[in-house]
């Protein structure tokens, strides 16, 4: 009976350890991929010729993500959204400060 408990405990600990290692590895790969996508977005938005890009153009260069996922990555990369009559455009904050409107003034 004691041998059965020992085997069960060792099996449980081993399974937990393997699960933890696999989970850690998968999360690491996911973060590495997201970091690379954000780097690609920054590179795309730093192009000398374009201060901003349409969402459709960005999506064509970075396929495989749903629209909202791609928007979150754009925000993490330091981009802001401009809605124009001809669509949704994104650009880096650093390069598009002139397009930002001042918000309401705070009372002093």
């Amino acid at each position: 009976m004691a041998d059965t408990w020992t085997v069960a405990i060792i099996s449980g600990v081993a399974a937990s350890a393997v699960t933890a290692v696999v989970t850690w590895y998968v999360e690491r790969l996911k973060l590495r991929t997201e970091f690379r996508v954000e780097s690609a977005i920054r590179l795309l938005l730093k192009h000398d010729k374009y201060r901003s890009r349409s969402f459709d153009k960005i999506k064509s260069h970075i396929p495989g993500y749903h629209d909202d996922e791609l928007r979150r990555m754009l925000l993490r990369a330091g981009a802001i959204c401009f809605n124009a009559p001809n669509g949704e455009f994104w650009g880096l904050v650093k390069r598009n400060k002139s397009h930002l409107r001042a918000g309401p003034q705070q009372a002093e």
Side-chain angles (χ1 to χ4, degrees):
M1 176 97 167
D3 291 338
T4 306
W5 280 101
T6 305
V7 170
I9 290 172
I10 291 173
S11 298
V13 170
S16 296
V18 168
T19 301
V21 168
V22 169
T23 302
W24 170 81
Y25 185 73
V26 168
E27 288 299 317
R28 184 172 174 224
L29 287 177
K30 207 182 301 183
L31 287 174
R32 185 183 305 165
T33 302
E34 287 181 15
F35 177 75
R36 288 180 179 163
V37 170
E38 289 171 26
S39 296
I41 288 171
R42 273 189 227 99
L43 186 62
L44 187 64
L45 295 177
K46 284 182 180 179
H47 192 283
D48 293 335
K49 191 174 177 182
Y50 307 104
R51 290 179 69 162
S52 62
R53 298 277 184 127
S54 71
F55 184 76
D56 291 334
K57 188 66 168 176
I58 294 167
K59 194 171 158 181
S60 72
H61 285 289
I62 303 176
Y65 292 95
H66 296 290
D67 290 358
D68 288 339
E69 284 179 300
L70 187 54
R71 286 182 181 100
R72 277 191 285 278
M73 288 187 191
L74 281 159
L75 290 170
R76 282 196 303 259
I80 52 175
C81 180
F82 303 101
N83 288 315
N86 56 343
E88 177 182 340
F89 286 81
W90 288 81
L92 292 174
V93 173
K94 293 178 184 179
R95 299 187 68 197
N96 290 282
K97 286 186 179 182
S98 62
H99 290 92
L100 298 176
R101 287 181 263 162
Q105 299 295 323
Q106 290 185 347
E108 292 185 31

